[in-house]
Amino acid sequence: MATLVPPRQRHTHFRQLGRTIGVPVPVPGVAMSEGKPPLLRLLCLHGYRQNQRSFHERTGALRKALRGRAELVSVNAPHRVRAPAEHGNRGGRSPGLGLLFCVPAGGAAEPRAWWFSRPEEETFEALEEAARCQGLEQALETVARACAELGPFDGLLGFSQGAALAAIVCALQQRGDARFPFRFAVLIAGFKSRAAPHGRYFREPIAAPSLHVLGESDRVIPAALSRELAAHFREPAVLSHPGGHFVPAAASQRAAYLEFLARF
Protein backbone atom coordinates (compact mmCIF):
# COMPACT_ATOMS: atom_id res chain seq x y z
CA MET A 1 0.00 0.00 0.00
CA ALA A 2 1.15 3.53 -0.73
CA THR A 3 2.03 5.77 2.18
CA LEU A 4 -0.90 7.91 3.29
CA VAL A 5 -0.54 11.62 3.93
CA PRO A 6 -0.27 12.11 7.72
CA PRO A 7 -3.39 13.65 9.28
CA ARG A 8 -1.41 16.60 10.62
CA GLN A 9 -0.71 17.65 7.04
CA ARG A 10 -4.25 17.21 5.72
CA HIS A 11 -7.41 16.71 7.74
CA THR A 12 -9.15 14.85 4.97
CA HIS A 13 -7.23 12.68 2.55
CA PHE A 14 -8.44 10.54 -0.31
CA ARG A 15 -6.10 8.45 -2.41
CA GLN A 16 -6.56 5.64 -4.88
CA LEU A 17 -3.84 3.12 -4.16
CA GLY A 18 -2.38 1.88 -7.40
CA ARG A 19 -4.29 3.90 -9.98
CA THR A 20 -6.00 7.20 -10.70
CA ILE A 21 -9.74 7.35 -10.19
CA GLY A 22 -12.42 9.82 -11.10
CA VAL A 23 -13.27 8.70 -14.64
CA PRO A 24 -16.78 7.21 -14.92
CA VAL A 25 -16.73 3.65 -16.22
CA PRO A 26 -19.59 2.86 -18.62
CA VAL A 27 -21.69 -0.09 -17.48
CA PRO A 28 -23.23 -2.30 -20.18
CA GLY A 29 -26.99 -1.93 -20.29
CA VAL A 30 -27.07 1.24 -18.15
CA ALA A 31 -27.80 4.40 -20.12
CA MET A 32 -26.61 7.85 -19.08
CA SER A 33 -29.66 10.14 -19.41
CA GLU A 34 -28.90 13.77 -20.26
CA GLY A 35 -25.33 13.36 -19.09
CA LYS A 36 -26.34 12.39 -15.56
CA PRO A 37 -24.79 9.29 -13.99
CA PRO A 38 -27.19 6.47 -13.03
CA LEU A 39 -28.59 6.30 -9.51
CA LEU A 40 -26.63 3.66 -7.60
CA ARG A 41 -28.24 1.46 -4.94
CA LEU A 42 -26.19 0.48 -1.89
CA LEU A 43 -27.12 -2.22 0.62
CA CYS A 44 -26.16 -0.89 4.07
CA LEU A 45 -24.92 -3.11 6.91
CA HIS A 46 -24.99 -1.44 10.32
CA GLY A 47 -22.54 -1.78 13.20
CA TYR A 48 -22.69 -3.92 16.34
CA ARG A 49 -25.50 -2.93 18.73
CA GLN A 50 -27.12 -0.83 16.02
CA ASN A 51 -30.10 -1.72 13.85
CA GLN A 52 -31.78 -0.81 10.60
CA ARG A 53 -33.60 2.17 12.03
CA SER A 54 -30.73 3.66 14.03
CA PHE A 55 -28.31 3.32 11.12
CA HIS A 56 -30.81 4.94 8.77
CA GLU A 57 -30.89 7.90 11.15
CA ARG A 58 -27.10 8.01 11.60
CA THR A 59 -26.52 8.10 7.84
CA GLY A 60 -28.92 10.99 7.29
CA ALA A 61 -26.12 13.43 6.42
CA LEU A 62 -24.55 10.94 4.01
CA ARG A 63 -27.87 10.18 2.34
CA LYS A 64 -28.36 13.92 1.86
CA ALA A 65 -24.83 14.34 0.51
CA LEU A 66 -25.35 11.53 -2.02
CA ARG A 67 -28.88 12.51 -3.00
CA GLY A 68 -29.41 11.96 -6.70
CA ARG A 69 -26.32 9.76 -6.93
CA ALA A 70 -26.89 6.88 -4.52
CA GLU A 71 -29.79 5.31 -2.63
CA LEU A 72 -28.95 3.72 0.73
CA VAL A 73 -31.06 0.73 1.80
CA SER A 74 -30.51 -0.59 5.33
CA VAL A 75 -31.40 -4.00 6.76
CA ASN A 76 -31.29 -5.51 10.24
CA ALA A 77 -28.65 -7.99 11.36
CA PRO A 78 -30.22 -11.36 12.27
CA HIS A 79 -29.11 -11.62 15.91
CA ARG A 80 -30.61 -9.78 18.83
CA VAL A 81 -28.12 -8.35 21.35
CA ARG A 82 -29.49 -8.96 24.80
CA ALA A 83 -29.42 -6.29 27.49
CA PRO A 84 -26.83 -6.87 30.25
CA ALA A 85 -29.54 -7.95 32.67
CA GLU A 86 -30.60 -10.70 30.27
CA HIS A 87 -27.24 -12.42 29.99
CA GLY A 88 -28.09 -14.81 32.78
CA ASN A 89 -31.52 -15.53 31.38
CA ARG A 90 -31.47 -17.74 28.30
CA GLY A 91 -35.24 -17.62 28.15
CA GLY A 92 -35.08 -14.01 26.99
CA ARG A 93 -33.26 -14.86 23.79
CA SER A 94 -34.95 -14.29 20.45
CA PRO A 95 -33.46 -14.58 16.95
CA GLY A 96 -35.77 -11.83 15.70
CA LEU A 97 -35.74 -12.97 12.06
CA GLY A 98 -39.02 -11.19 11.45
CA LEU A 99 -37.31 -7.81 11.89
CA LEU A 100 -34.95 -8.20 8.95
CA PHE A 101 -36.65 -5.97 6.42
CA CYS A 102 -39.09 -3.81 8.40
CA VAL A 103 -38.54 -0.33 9.81
CA PRO A 104 -40.33 0.02 13.17
CA ALA A 105 -43.21 2.51 13.08
CA GLY A 106 -42.05 4.23 16.25
CA GLY A 107 -39.56 3.97 19.07
CA ALA A 108 -36.10 2.49 18.97
CA ALA A 109 -35.68 -1.08 17.77
CA GLU A 110 -33.54 -3.50 19.72
CA PRO A 111 -29.77 -3.64 19.10
CA ARG A 112 -28.54 -6.30 16.69
CA ALA A 113 -25.35 -8.16 15.77
CA TRP A 114 -24.04 -9.88 12.66
CA TRP A 115 -22.17 -12.50 14.71
CA PHE A 116 -20.81 -13.09 18.20
CA SER A 117 -17.15 -13.56 19.12
CA ARG A 118 -18.20 -15.01 22.47
CA PRO A 119 -20.91 -17.57 21.67
CA GLU A 120 -21.57 -18.50 25.31
CA GLU A 121 -22.25 -14.90 26.31
CA GLU A 122 -23.62 -13.83 22.91
CA THR A 123 -21.43 -10.73 22.83
CA PHE A 124 -18.92 -9.33 20.38
CA GLU A 125 -15.49 -7.69 20.71
CA ALA A 126 -13.83 -6.46 17.52
CA LEU A 127 -10.29 -6.75 18.91
CA GLU A 128 -10.74 -10.24 20.35
CA GLU A 129 -8.92 -13.09 18.61
CA ALA A 130 -11.71 -15.57 19.20
CA ALA A 131 -11.02 -19.27 18.73
CA ARG A 132 -14.59 -19.71 17.55
CA CYS A 133 -17.63 -17.56 16.86
CA GLN A 134 -21.34 -17.90 16.21
CA GLY A 135 -23.82 -16.48 13.75
CA LEU A 136 -21.87 -15.70 10.58
CA GLU A 137 -23.86 -18.09 8.39
CA GLN A 138 -27.12 -16.45 9.43
CA ALA A 139 -25.56 -13.05 8.70
CA LEU A 140 -24.51 -14.14 5.21
CA GLU A 141 -27.97 -15.53 4.57
CA THR A 142 -29.47 -12.20 5.65
CA VAL A 143 -27.32 -10.34 3.11
CA ALA A 144 -28.14 -12.89 0.40
CA ARG A 145 -31.85 -12.61 1.15
CA ALA A 146 -31.67 -8.81 0.99
CA CYS A 147 -29.92 -9.00 -2.38
CA ALA A 148 -32.61 -11.34 -3.70
CA GLU A 149 -35.67 -9.59 -2.26
CA LEU A 150 -34.66 -5.92 -2.17
CA GLY A 151 -32.10 -5.79 -5.00
CA PRO A 152 -30.55 -5.37 -7.36
CA PHE A 153 -27.75 -3.48 -5.61
CA ASP A 154 -24.69 -1.89 -7.15
CA GLY A 155 -22.61 -1.97 -3.99
CA LEU A 156 -22.34 -2.65 -0.27
CA LEU A 157 -21.87 -0.02 2.44
CA GLY A 158 -20.80 -1.40 5.81
CA PHE A 159 -20.03 0.32 9.10
CA SER A 160 -17.83 -1.21 11.82
CA GLN A 161 -18.94 -4.85 12.26
CA GLY A 162 -21.06 -4.39 9.14
CA ALA A 163 -17.92 -3.36 7.24
CA ALA A 164 -16.10 -6.44 8.53
CA LEU A 165 -19.00 -8.54 7.25
CA ALA A 166 -18.96 -6.72 3.89
CA ALA A 167 -15.27 -7.62 3.48
CA ILE A 168 -16.11 -11.30 3.99
CA VAL A 169 -18.92 -11.01 1.46
CA CYS A 170 -16.42 -9.51 -1.02
CA ALA A 171 -14.13 -12.49 -0.48
CA LEU A 172 -16.99 -14.94 -1.04
CA GLN A 173 -18.09 -13.15 -4.19
CA GLN A 174 -14.55 -13.42 -5.53
CA ARG A 175 -14.76 -17.18 -4.99
CA GLY A 176 -17.83 -17.33 -7.20
CA ASP A 177 -20.63 -17.12 -4.62
CA ALA A 178 -23.56 -16.05 -6.83
CA ARG A 179 -25.66 -14.91 -3.86
CA PHE A 180 -23.84 -11.59 -3.77
CA PRO A 181 -24.14 -9.71 -7.09
CA PHE A 182 -22.62 -6.25 -6.61
CA ARG A 183 -19.76 -4.23 -8.06
CA PHE A 184 -18.03 -2.43 -5.19
CA ALA A 185 -17.91 -1.89 -1.42
CA VAL A 186 -17.65 1.15 0.86
CA LEU A 187 -16.19 0.07 4.21
CA ILE A 188 -16.46 2.65 7.02
CA ALA A 189 -14.54 2.05 10.26
CA GLY A 190 -13.93 -1.47 9.00
CA PHE A 191 -11.60 -4.14 10.33
CA LYS A 192 -10.51 -7.66 9.52
CA SER A 193 -12.39 -10.14 11.66
CA ARG A 194 -9.99 -11.70 14.15
CA ALA A 195 -12.10 -14.79 14.70
CA ALA A 196 -9.98 -17.82 13.82
CA PRO A 197 -12.69 -19.41 11.60
CA HIS A 198 -12.76 -16.26 9.46
CA GLY A 199 -9.07 -16.31 8.59
CA ARG A 200 -9.74 -18.34 5.46
CA TYR A 201 -11.47 -15.38 3.83
CA PHE A 202 -8.26 -13.34 3.77
CA ARG A 203 -5.76 -15.82 2.33
CA GLU A 204 -5.63 -14.03 -1.00
CA PRO A 205 -6.07 -10.40 -2.08
CA ILE A 206 -9.67 -9.33 -2.63
CA ALA A 207 -10.28 -7.86 -6.07
CA ALA A 208 -13.56 -5.99 -5.47
CA PRO A 209 -13.19 -2.20 -5.88
CA SER A 210 -13.32 -0.72 -2.40
CA LEU A 211 -13.35 2.58 -0.53
CA HIS A 212 -12.09 2.40 3.05
CA VAL A 213 -13.18 5.28 5.31
CA LEU A 214 -11.33 5.64 8.61
CA GLY A 215 -11.25 8.09 11.51
CA GLU A 216 -7.85 9.08 12.81
CA SER A 217 -9.40 9.64 16.27
CA ASP A 218 -11.52 6.48 16.26
CA ARG A 219 -11.09 4.75 19.64
CA VAL A 220 -13.53 1.93 18.89
CA ILE A 221 -11.89 0.74 15.66
CA PRO A 222 -8.42 2.33 15.51
CA ALA A 223 -7.41 3.66 12.10
CA ALA A 224 -4.60 1.09 11.95
CA LEU A 225 -7.17 -1.73 11.88
CA SER A 226 -9.03 -0.12 8.97
CA ARG A 227 -5.75 0.23 7.08
CA GLU A 228 -4.98 -3.41 7.83
CA LEU A 229 -8.29 -4.39 6.23
CA ALA A 230 -7.60 -2.16 3.22
CA ALA A 231 -4.29 -3.97 2.70
CA HIS A 232 -6.24 -7.17 1.96
CA PHE A 233 -7.78 -5.52 -1.12
CA ARG A 234 -5.87 -5.27 -4.38
CA GLU A 235 -6.38 -1.60 -5.19
CA PRO A 236 -8.16 0.03 -2.24
CA ALA A 237 -9.09 3.68 -2.10
CA VAL A 238 -8.69 5.24 1.35
CA LEU A 239 -10.50 8.25 2.82
CA SER A 240 -9.23 9.41 6.20
CA HIS A 241 -10.87 12.05 8.39
CA PRO A 242 -9.86 13.56 11.75
CA GLY A 243 -12.95 12.33 13.61
CA GLY A 244 -13.94 9.21 15.49
CA HIS A 245 -16.37 6.30 15.17
CA PHE A 246 -19.08 7.66 12.88
CA VAL A 247 -20.06 7.99 9.23
CA PRO A 248 -18.44 11.22 7.98
CA ALA A 249 -20.27 13.34 5.42
CA ALA A 250 -18.70 16.81 5.40
CA ALA A 251 -18.19 18.62 2.09
CA SER A 252 -14.65 17.36 1.52
CA GLN A 253 -15.68 13.80 2.35
CA ARG A 254 -18.72 14.07 0.09
CA ALA A 255 -16.37 14.89 -2.79
CA ALA A 256 -14.32 11.77 -2.03
CA TYR A 257 -17.40 9.53 -1.95
CA LEU A 258 -18.60 10.97 -5.26
CA GLU A 259 -15.17 10.57 -6.84
CA PHE A 260 -15.17 6.89 -5.93
CA LEU A 261 -18.77 6.34 -7.05
CA ALA A 262 -18.03 8.04 -10.38
CA ARG A 263 -16.30 4.83 -11.42
CA PHE A 264 -19.59 2.92 -11.55
Side-chain angles (χ1 to χ4, degrees):
M1 295 179 63
T3 302
L4 298 178
V5 174
R8 63 178 180 274
Q9 294 182 23
R10 294 185 65 182
H11 278 181
T12 301
H13 177 64
F14 180 63
R15 171 176 294 176
Q16 171 66 23
L17 304 182
R19 69 191 232 189
T20 303
I21 75 168
V23 180
V25 178
V27 178
V30 178
M32 303 282 277
S33 60
E34 300 180 354
K36 295 181 180 180
L39 181 69
L40 301 173
R41 301 187 74 236
L42 278 65
L43 177 62
C44 299
L45 310 178
H46 61 73
Y48 178 63
R49 296 192 65 85
Q50 296 179 346
N51 55 62
Q52 179 188 33
R53 183 185 183 90
S54 67
F55 195 60
H56 179 81
E57 294 171 350
R58 294 188 183 198
T59 54
L62 181 61
R63 286 185 284 108
K64 182 178 179 180
L66 300 181
R67 184 175 299 164
R69 187 64 182 97
E71 176 189 5
L72 308 185
V73 180
S74 299
V75 294
N76 267 328
H79 308 292
R80 176 193 171 203
V81 177
R82 294 178 294 152
E86 292 184 78
H87 280 275
N89 179 13
R90 294 287 176 176
R93 179 185 175 196
S94 170
L97 295 179
L99 294 175
L100 292 181
F101 304 135
C102 63
V103 178
E110 60 190 2
R112 319 289 290 184
W114 295 104
W115 74 85
F116 298 116
S117 59
R118 298 180 181 180
E120 298 83 1
E121 303 173 14
E122 295 185 342
T123 59
F124 173 77
E125 293 290 341
L127 304 183
E128 184 175 21
E129 296 184 1
R132 63 191 188 91
C133 60
Q134 174 183 299
L136 179 63
E137 289 306 318
Q138 293 94 324
L140 294 173
E141 180 55 36
T142 296
V143 176
R145 179 179 162 191
C147 290
E149 298 184 9
L150 303 178
F153 292 103
D154 299 283
L156 294 178
L157 186 150
F159 175 72
S160 197
Q161 192 189 37
L165 174 63
I168 292 175
V169 172
C170 288
L172 286 170
Q173 184 204 56
Q174 178 167 296
R175 297 180 183 185
D177 195 323
R179 295 178 298 170
F180 308 115
F182 61 89
R183 295 186 283 156
F184 61 87
V186 178
L187 309 178
I188 304 172
F191 58 93
K192 172 187 174 182
S193 172
R194 278 163 158 63
H198 300 171
R200 65 182 181 274
Y201 299 116
F202 300 96
R203 291 173 182 168
E204 58 186 34
I206 300 171
S210 59
L211 171 61
H212 301 258
V213 183
L214 55 95
E216 299 293 350
S217 302
D218 194 332
R219 296 185 179 181
V220 179
I221 303 297
L225 294 186
S226 293
R227 292 192 174 96
E228 177 192 34
L229 177 63
H232 284 279
F233 286 74
R234 286 183 181 170
E235 292 184 334
V238 174
L239 164 61
S240 65
H241 64 93
H245 198 65
F246 59 86
V247 178
S252 57
Q253 293 135 16
R254 174 181 181 272
Y257 287 119
L258 291 175
E259 185 177 359
F260 177 75
L261 295 178
R263 296 170 54 187
F264 307 98

